[in-house]
Amino acid sequence: MFLAVMALGVNASVLDSIRFDARLGYALGGTIPTHIGKEIRGINSYYPGFNFTVAAEVSYPLSQHWSLHSGLRFELGGMDADSRVKNYDIEVVRGDESLSGIFNGNVRIKSAQRRITLPIQAMYSINDKWNVRGGVFMGWLTNRRFWGWAYDGYLREGTPVGPKIEMGTEPGDRGDFDFDANMRHMQWGIDFGVDCRIWRRWGAFAELTYGLSNIFKSDFHSVQPLRPLYGTLGIVYRIK
């Protein structure tokens, strides 16, 4: 629908009605399990990465209040989370050994992503100052990383009653993992936002984005399914 509307650009009245915005925002969030199970016993620490969004977006009015909203976004997202776990199913490498089983102790996870995103949203204008919008997004990861380590605990190899293997805190004693190659290139999900015009062409926005796709490939089972969840706050400048 959006491409069909843009194809009508030969008509000057259509071009005159299209609104162009530039956005810059900071995102807080990360990759989260589809549900927080009993394996996660506590969060030792959490640090958001340098997560920001730069976007060029357009809106085409369909009626007095409704518009079609889309554009392109460049997004950086990441996190550094340290959790206390029990009976956590995981695969790790310690030294030259590959180990898998049930871990009790602490797990530190780091992730970093660069994504180009296409949102497709319906926007409702409450008045000249406030807009609300919602829809879906599709994103392509130009860079993806997911790594970390299990430490200060023990692994029951294979099953909960398997051989007990102690995990230390230093490289070589802990269990490391690196699942970059197991991540998807494509992500999709839903997002909802609110825009507020503050002064002339300047405004502010808030947006919540939730991925419906697992960040890992369907044949990967070393870590429970994780999905991106980010809340973004930022500024808007109306170009036209």
Side-chain angles (χ1 to χ4, degrees):
M1 291 175 61
F2 174 71
L3 293 176
V5 168
M6 293 303 294
L8 298 175
V10 293
N11 189 324
S13 62
V14 173
L15 283 176
D16 289 341
S17 62
I18 295 177
R19 192 183 81 188
F20 294 86
D21 294 327
R23 297 175 184 267
L24 176 65
Y26 178 79
L28 182 65
T31 51
I32 65 170
T34 52
H35 68 281
I36 305 297
K38 60 183 180 180
E39 296 87 0
I40 309 296
R41 294 304 176 94
I43 303 298
N44 299 324
S45 63
Y46 169 79
Y47 301 101
F50 182 56
N51 306 330
F52 71 87
T53 298
V54 178
E57 299 183 355
V58 297
S59 302
Y60 178 75
L62 302 175
S63 66
Q64 180 181 358
H65 292 286
W66 288 98
S67 300
L68 184 64
H69 186 82
S70 188
L72 281 178
R73 301 173 180 171
F74 177 74
E75 300 172 310
L76 289 181
M79 69 170 191
D80 183 347
D82 194 317
S83 305
R84 188 172 66 257
V85 302
K86 185 175 182 179
N87 297 327
Y88 191 81
D89 193 1
I90 196 171
E91 293 184 14
V92 298
V93 173
R94 190 180 68 166
D96 297 328
E97 293 182 288
S98 295
L99 304 170
S100 64
I102 307 301
F103 179 71
N104 297 279
N106 298 281
V107 174
R108 187 167 180 179
I109 292 175
K110 295 186 176 186
S111 69
Q113 303 173 38
R114 288 200 300 262
R115 188 175 72 187
I116 297 174
T117 302
L118 171 70
I120 303 175
Q121 299 176 321
M123 184 167 68
Y124 182 79
S125 299
I126 301 173
N127 50 43
D128 291 339
K129 186 175 181 180
W130 291 94
N131 297 319
V132 294
R133 50 193 168 77
V136 298
F137 73 85
M138 293 175 289
W140 177 263
L141 297 181
T142 61
N143 183 69
R144 62 203 197 282
R145 292 215 60 203
F146 190 96
W147 76 104
W149 53 87
Y151 71 99
D152 196 16
Y154 62 90
L155 180 80
R156 290 286 187 180
E157 190 172 13
T159 68
V161 293
K164 184 177 181 181
I165 301 173
E166 298 287 342
M167 296 284 181
T169 58
E170 300 298 325
D173 294 327
R174 68 193 187 194
D176 296 298
F177 53 86
D178 186 336
F179 300 139
D180 298 357
N182 303 107
M183 297 180 70
R184 295 177 184 267
H185 279 288
M186 181 70 73
Q187 293 180 352
W188 60 90
I190 55 177
D191 57 359
F192 302 92
V194 178
D195 299 335
C196 176
R197 186 169 62 87
I198 299 174
W199 180 70
R200 295 185 179 180
R201 294 178 177 267
W202 292 94
F205 76 94
E207 190 146 15
L208 181 65
T209 301
Y210 179 63
L212 297 179
S213 58
N214 183 2
I215 68 170
F216 296 113
K217 298 175 182 178
S218 57
D219 59 352
F220 178 71
H221 305 291
S222 296
V223 174
Q224 60 181 307
L226 299 172
R227 297 177 179 178
L229 174 64
Y230 288 95
T232 305
L233 295 174
I235 56 175
V236 185
Y237 181 76
R238 179 172 294 183
I239 300 172
K240 174 183 173 296

